[in-house]
Amino acid sequence: MEHLRELRNRLGWSLLALLVCVVVAFFLREQVFDVLKRPYCQTEVARAALASSGDQCQLYAFGPFEQFAVSLRVSFIAGVLASSPVWLYQLGAFITPALHRKERRYAAAFLGAALLLFVTGCVFAYFTISRGLEFLLSVGGDGIVTLPSIQSYLSFVTLTLLAFGIAFLFPVIVLFLNFVGLFPAAVMRRWRRGMIVGIAVASAVLTPSQDPFTFMAMALPLYGLYEICILIARLRDRATRRRRAVEPGAQDLERLGDDETSYVEDRPSPLQP
């Protein structure tokens, strides 16, 4: 019951922070949507329409409730991002008491790296959205005029940001497997060609626009992050070998097979006279 009450309290604080951030974001929805609309305004199609009409960059709503639904959606997305430090802290504070000191350090490091990589992926995607839109809006030729609706444009931007953010969590998974001993550096080096194919397939599937520029913008950084993971794994494996080399009996233990039992040194107990 104590754990359930603690979970209830931490969920309450998280939901309260989310509600406050969503309300604040709703009053600032125009400024938030201007930031989200900027990649579309940088495309050649939007610039041509702007030059011909002389008006500001515009998106279109095709229903009476579409603007209100989009405003709620933008406010919720902004509220989730703005309140992420609060609910991530509450999540960590609920989980870490059950971990050992070393596990807490690893959990904090992996959580911080995951958050940083997710934000990096979203920022990287934001600056590539305009190229993907350029391909989608002009692929049909000059005889087709696209009127992008607010709903479809926001869905495209949200999917692109989420795809890049989730894809950039790939090195966290690789390093976690290395830390638990399932993916050593030697295996990571042997799997380079397979990882290139896997990253290419995943990038082709995850990118909503399916254009070559967005595909390369996701695939190349992911492979670069994989090479960084190999470097970190090699340094960690080297440090582990050095630490084991100075431990008493470490070389004998390394020669033991998986089915062999290790020895226990017979030392007198300090409690014995």
Side-chain angles (χ1 to χ4, degrees), residues 91-221:
L91 177 63
F94 180 75
I95 295 176
T96 51
L99 303 177
H100 298 288
R101 181 179 300 178
K102 187 176 181 180
E103 294 173 344
R104 293 179 188 176
R105 185 170 65 250
Y106 284 154
F110 276 107
L111 183 60
L115 181 60
L116 179 62
L117 287 172
F118 183 84
V119 174
T120 303
C122 291
V123 173
F124 193 81
Y126 179 78
F127 292 102
T128 62
I129 289 177
S130 59
R131 296 295 184 91
L133 283 173
E134 193 72 45
F135 172 79
L136 294 176
L137 296 177
S138 60
V139 68
D142 297 333
I144 300 176
V145 178
T146 304
L147 298 177
S149 66
I150 301 175
Q151 191 73 31
S152 60
Y153 174 76
L154 184 61
S155 299
F156 171 76
V157 172
T158 304
L159 288 176
T160 304
L161 295 178
L162 285 178
F164 273 78
I166 294 174
F168 271 56
L169 297 178
F170 168 70
V172 176
I173 301 175
V174 173
L175 288 180
F176 175 78
L177 294 176
N178 176 260
F179 272 57
V180 298
L182 298 178
F183 203 20
V187 179
M188 294 169 65
R189 291 195 299 269
R190 290 199 303 266
W191 284 20
R192 270 196 177 102
R193 295 182 179 179
M195 279 296 175
I196 292 175
V197 177
I199 289 173
V201 173
S203 300
V205 173
L206 290 176
T207 50
S209 59
Q210 305 294 324
D211 63 286
F213 180 82
T214 308
F215 166 77
M216 296 299 294
M218 179 181 289
L220 292 180

Side-chain angles (χ1 to χ4, degrees), residues 69-111:
V70 168
S71 299
L72 291 179
R73 187 174 177 181
V74 170
S75 302
F76 180 76
I77 295 173
V80 170
L81 294 177
S83 63
S84 59
V86 177
W87 53 264
L88 284 175
Y89 169 77
Q90 297 296 333
L91 177 63
F94 180 75
I95 295 176
T96 51
L99 303 177
H100 298 288
R101 181 179 300 178
K102 187 176 181 180
E103 294 173 344
R104 293 179 188 176
R105 185 170 65 250
Y106 284 154
F110 276 107
L111 183 60

